[in-house]
Amino acid sequence: MTYTNQLIELPQNRVWRGYQGGRILDQLAGKEHPCDSHFPEDWIGSAVPANNPDSQGETEGISTVLINGREWLFSDLLAQDPEYFLGPDQVSRYGDRPMLLVKLLDSAVRLPLQAHPTAEFARAGLGSNAGKAEAYYILDVREETEDPFVYLGFQRPPTRDEFKRCIETQDIATMKSWFDRISVQAGDVVFIPGGVPHAIGGGIFMVEIMEPSDLAVRFEFTTDGYTLPESARFMNRGLDFCLDIFDYNAKTESQVRRDHMFEPRLEVEYSETAHRYHLIGAETTPCYQVKKSIISGKVERRESSYFTGVITAGRCVLKTSESELALDTFDKFFCPAGLDGFTIEADEEVQILECFPPA
């Protein structure tokens, strides 16, 4: 078949969101006048529809890819041969959709205060086999951003009744008083489990790795002049239902840095100039695995699982028996589970973030 033994390059797939950003993504797309807009995210190799107000159709959010001159919706391509693309174990457990969603996210403003359901809550109450545990790999911070930060967990938790009152009255000052700013910088790895309230600060460019859903409880309705419609706030379930999603436990900044932010750990030494590092795995979440390869020279690879790769620094050439991809910084690709193997060649150092499904 025309898609076998080929790595799949993933073009931009910009998706509308209720906050502003995307200037860096415009630059990467070669736009003449890059600017921030309501398209601040690039959903990478996505088979997940976006849950947007006034959605433009059921395929909004799903990637389009080009293989040997033929254009495919990524979900349709996977359905052609799910065991080849995703592997028989994944298909037997989850069907013909990847249990993974990866994004490039380029925020110009702080995102709304929000939380996402756990997988257990989603299965029990939302009819979904995926919640939305998130991980961030911080790529860069805009020059004009002096204090890059995230909110992560309540440092001073409200009671449930106080929380409900503040949401209903949109008492943002009080809600913000429950959080401390957790400073972040390029290279940081951050994990946000389902149920944990959070927000990404403005000026942060990141790779976001998550379970394959667009489920969110947004309890701050207006940011940067845009007000979310009611349909985009509580997953069409009502506030009282959504209050059960939240983790009301206090998390000090030291606890956040200990339990939710991780240093790379050497996993594989291919050669003196080529290594792979473990960032997130089963010790943190059953939902996905995140690794980072740093390579100079040539490395031959074969994986038993599919993964989505993002070039986070440098450039390289990826070769299979049937294809060759020359990739630059922030280019993206998909590696099918059934690929015979591939070679990474880098004249100078290349860094590749590799996002794997559940083990």
Side-chain angles (χ1 to χ4, degrees):
M1 297 183 183
T2 58
Y3 50 72
T4 56
N5 286 324
Q6 298 189 50
L7 293 159
I8 301 169
E9 189 170 8
L10 300 171
Q12 268 200 5
N13 176 34
R14 301 286 286 276
V15 177
W16 188 96
R17 301 277 83 179
Y19 69 95
Q20 293 269 334
R23 186 182 71 202
I24 295 171
L25 299 177
D26 275 7
Q27 292 170 347
L28 293 176
K31 292 192 176 182
E32 187 175 352
H33 301 292
C35 63
D36 291 313
S37 69
H38 278 288
F39 289 86
E41 297 179 7
D42 171 13
W43 290 23
I44 301 169
S46 169
V48 178
N51 183 18
N52 279 331
D54 301 321
S55 176
Q56 299 304 301
E58 62 183 16
T59 63
E60 183 182 10
I62 299 176
S63 298
T64 298
V65 298
L66 191 69
I67 302 179
N68 291 329
R70 180 173 177 181
E71 194 173 85
W72 295 84
L73 274 178
F74 193 56
S75 53
D76 290 345
L77 177 65
L78 299 179
Q80 291 291 308
D81 193 348
E83 290 199 355
Y84 167 74
F85 286 109
L86 304 177
D89 289 344
Q90 292 283 315
V91 171
S92 67
R93 293 167 65 192
Y94 305 115
D96 64 358
R97 294 292 183 269
M99 286 302 291
L100 183 69
L101 176 59
V102 182
K103 305 177 182 178
L104 286 178
L105 186 153
D106 174 25
S107 63
V109 299
R110 180 179 64 75
L111 274 62
L113 297 165
Q114 59 191 280
H116 309 293
T118 63
E120 293 77 16
F121 191 100
R123 282 193 291 268
L126 296 168
S128 172
N129 67 349
K132 199 179 177 187
E134 298 179 341
Y136 308 151
Y137 181 85
I138 310 297
L139 293 168
D140 204 357
V141 176
R142 296 191 184 195
E143 291 183 1
E144 64 269 25
T145 301
E146 296 181 357
D147 181 24
F149 72 95
V150 297
Y151 291 141
L152 203 168
F154 292 129
Q155 280 68 61
R156 290 164 293 279
T159 65
R160 182 188 174 100
D161 288 344
E162 181 185 14
F163 193 18
K164 182 178 181 180
R165 178 193 66 78
C166 287
I167 294 173
E168 291 177 331
T169 61
Q170 284 296 278
D171 184 350
I172 304 303
T174 296
M175 289 197 284
K176 287 172 65 177
S177 74
W178 303 330
F179 299 90
D180 290 332
R181 292 186 173 203
I182 309 297
S183 297
V184 294
Q185 61 185 351
D188 280 351
V189 179
V190 185
F191 176 68
I192 301 92
V196 173
H198 63 279
I200 300 164
I204 295 174
F205 181 43
M206 66 167 68
V207 180
E208 188 175 21
I209 307 100
M210 65 189 67
E211 294 178 82
S213 85
D214 198 21
L215 297 170
V217 178
R218 300 177 178 92
F219 55 96
E220 180 181 13
F221 303 157
T222 300
T223 51
D224 197 41
Y226 175 77
T227 299
L228 287 166
E230 288 189 15
S231 62
R233 300 173 187 176
F234 304 131
M235 304 182 299
N236 295 313
R237 298 292 178 132
L239 175 55
D240 286 314
F241 175 89
C242 290
L243 288 172
D244 290 337
I245 285 174
F246 288 87
D247 179 350
Y248 293 91
N249 292 309
K251 296 178 182 291
T252 65
E253 179 173 348
S254 61
Q255 288 173 322
V256 168
R257 294 191 177 277
R258 181 193 67 201
D259 299 335
H260 298 275
M261 302 178 71
F262 311 116
E263 296 292 330
R265 186 175 76 240
L266 182 63
E267 183 178 87
V268 180
E269 186 171 6
Y270 298 109
S271 70
E272 291 184 357
T273 59
H275 307 82
R276 185 163 79 177
Y277 296 87
H278 174 97
L279 301 182
I280 295 175
E283 76 287 349
T284 300
T285 176
C287 298
Y288 42 74
Q289 307 167 75
V290 184
K291 306 173 188 295
K292 180 181 179 180
S293 289
I294 301 178
I295 294 169
S296 296
K298 180 178 178 180
V299 169
E300 294 184 358
R301 290 270 297 271
R302 181 167 185 165
E303 299 293 340
S304 59
S305 171
Y306 69 90
F307 73 91
T308 297
V310 180
I311 309 300
T312 59
R315 61 184 62 183
C316 65
V317 176
L318 304 182
K319 296 180 179 179
T320 73
S321 61
E322 300 293 334
S323 66
E324 181 174 312
L325 289 180
L327 300 176
D328 211 333
T329 304
F330 305 135
D331 285 342
K332 301 92 59 180
F333 65 95
F334 178 81
C335 178
L339 195 72
D340 284 345
F342 65 101
T343 300
I344 304 171
E345 297 182 10
D347 292 334
E348 298 180 359
E349 183 179 277
V350 66
Q351 299 185 20
I352 307 173
L353 196 72
E354 299 168 3
C355 309
F356 290 80

